Amino acid sequence: MSRVILGIESSCDDTSAAVVRDGVVLSNVIASQKVHESYGGVVPELASRAHQQNIVPVVAEALRQAGVSKDELSAIAYTRGPGLIGSLLVGSSFAKGLSLALDIPLVEVNHLQGHALSPLIRESEEDSVPPFPYLTLLISGGNSQIIVVKSANEMEIVGSTIDDAAGEAFDKCGKVMNLPYPAGPVIDRLAKTGNPKAFRFSKPHIPGLDYSFSGLKTSFLYTLRDELKTNPNFIAERQEDLAASLQNVIIEILMEKLEKSIGIYKPADIAIGGGVSANSGVRGAVEKLAAKHGIKAWIPPLKYTTDNAAMVATVGYYKFLDGDFSSLDETPYAKIAAKL
């Protein structure tokens, strides 16, 4: 008998729904919110209101594209956290209501667990997935973590940011460069024609496998301040070089800790996930690092790097197989747990 899982993702500013049958994605629908661009970041209240408008049509479209009726669903998986509480409440409330109406199990999913398991997303029966255990670098707007993925339901965070994440460094530095939000994709594009060695920014010296990007951000701001004193057009004139140098040092910081973790845990496979894993420089650096150590790198398709319900439904599928269901009493949470 087929297991058909509906996944719902609403942790931040994208409303997404996906349908997975026996681990294979049948549909993945995402409604993005453009309202935040003029504010330079996500406005929580506006995000939750947009989720309320989008969730019914997004779920309906996911079911339509999958060719599945709601009566065929085996379970509903939803993002419980971490994320914006207002946004999470919309998705969790809808999932709970639909679960009650259809009398089918509910599965809660950790958003970061979804990114960590993105290499398990399959679009056909022939798609291969990494064997357990594997090491993953999860990099997004709010998280920079190194995770040992022992199984679909057992993971351990062995390194994490102690302040800003890589995505925040891109966005905050991009803001002072007068780039639109989110700045990461724009910096990636500009970096392709810039000199990555044009500027030197401070790199952190954090022990262990933890990350820090706040010092880099401060170093970047000081460089701009000093240059603008003598040249008011400095940012416009050196935009490509600034982008290339910033991206280069962020990648160096990420890869140094990832390589250190490879030396400690000796994985046969490494993977990346999260919004920053869409960065072309990061993707190339991970492949290069894997080749250096003779291991395999699992790089997710671009459409599965940002927030999406396919990863939620995929996690939900594996939890369903384990009988790992949740109750209606469980409430959303905003913060990250020490373990996934």
Side-chain angles (χ1 to χ4, degrees), residues 9-91:
E9 155 61 23
S10 67
S11 62
C12 192
D13 60 334
D14 287 333
T15 311
S16 182
V19 177
V20 166
R21 175 184 279 125
D22 294 331
V24 176
V25 176
L26 302 182
S27 66
N28 183 49
V29 178
I30 301 174
S32 298
Q33 302 176 8
K34 301 295 184 183
V35 67
H36 307 285
E37 292 180 357
S38 59
Y39 295 96
V42 177
V43 181
E45 177 62 23
L46 296 179
S48 58
R49 291 186 183 189
H51 282 303
Q52 289 179 314
Q53 294 175 335
N54 293 336
I55 191 148
V56 172
V58 165
V59 169
E61 180 61 15
L63 292 171
R64 187 194 69 80
Q65 289 186 16
V68 169
S69 73
K70 63 182 184 298
D71 296 324
E72 296 177 75
L73 296 175
S74 305
I76 300 171
Y78 73 98
T79 301
R80 185 182 171 199
L84 301 175
I85 287 297
S87 296
L88 291 167
L89 279 169
V90 175

Side-chain angles (χ1 to χ4, degrees), residues 57-227:
V58 165
V59 169
E61 180 61 15
L63 292 171
R64 187 194 69 80
Q65 289 186 16
V68 169
S69 73
K70 63 182 184 298
D71 296 324
E72 296 177 75
L73 296 175
S74 305
I76 300 171
Y78 73 98
T79 301
R80 185 182 171 199
L84 301 175
I85 287 297
S87 296
L88 291 167
L89 279 169
V90 175
S92 63
S93 298
F94 183 90
K96 290 176 181 179
L98 192 57
S99 169
L100 277 172
L102 298 177
D103 192 24
I104 56 177
L106 195 64
V107 180
E108 61 95 3
V109 173
N110 184 300
H111 177 77
L112 305 182
Q113 187 179 19
H115 282 306
L117 290 184
S118 59
L120 300 186
I121 297 174
R122 294 185 296 147
E123 295 183 325
S124 74
E125 294 287 351
E126 291 72 34
D127 288 348
S128 58
V129 297
F132 298 116
Y134 64 85
L135 195 68
T136 193
L137 173 63
L138 195 161
I139 34 178
S140 65
N143 302 284
S144 295
Q145 299 176 328
I146 298 174
I147 303 170
V148 177
V149 183
K150 301 175 183 179
S151 72
N153 279 322
E154 186 181 4
M155 307 181 194
E156 182 182 2
I157 299 172
V158 296
S160 186
T161 183
I162 62 173
D163 42 57
D164 286 349
E168 289 175 303
F170 275 123
D171 287 336
K172 290 178 180 179
C173 292
K175 188 172 185 178
V176 297
M177 290 173 62
N178 302 314
L179 300 180
Y181 174 86
V186 183
I187 290 174
D188 190 17
R189 175 175 56 79
L190 292 171
K192 289 178 170 61
T193 54
N195 177 7
K197 303 297 183 183
F199 300 97
R200 295 185 63 183
F201 304 118
S202 297
K203 292 171 63 176
H205 299 283
I206 307 299
L209 299 178
D210 287 337
Y211 285 110
S212 170
F213 290 94
S214 63
L216 165 62
K217 179 189 66 179
T218 302
S219 174
F220 184 87
L221 294 176
Y222 282 166
T223 297
L224 263 59
R225 182 199 63 182
D226 294 342
E227 295 289 348

Side-chain angles (χ1 to χ4, degrees), residues 271-293:
I272 53 174
V276 181
S277 68
N279 181 281
S280 62
V282 170
R283 295 165 81 87
V286 170
E287 290 180 336
K288 184 177 179 180
L289 183 62
K292 175 183 176 182
H293 289 273

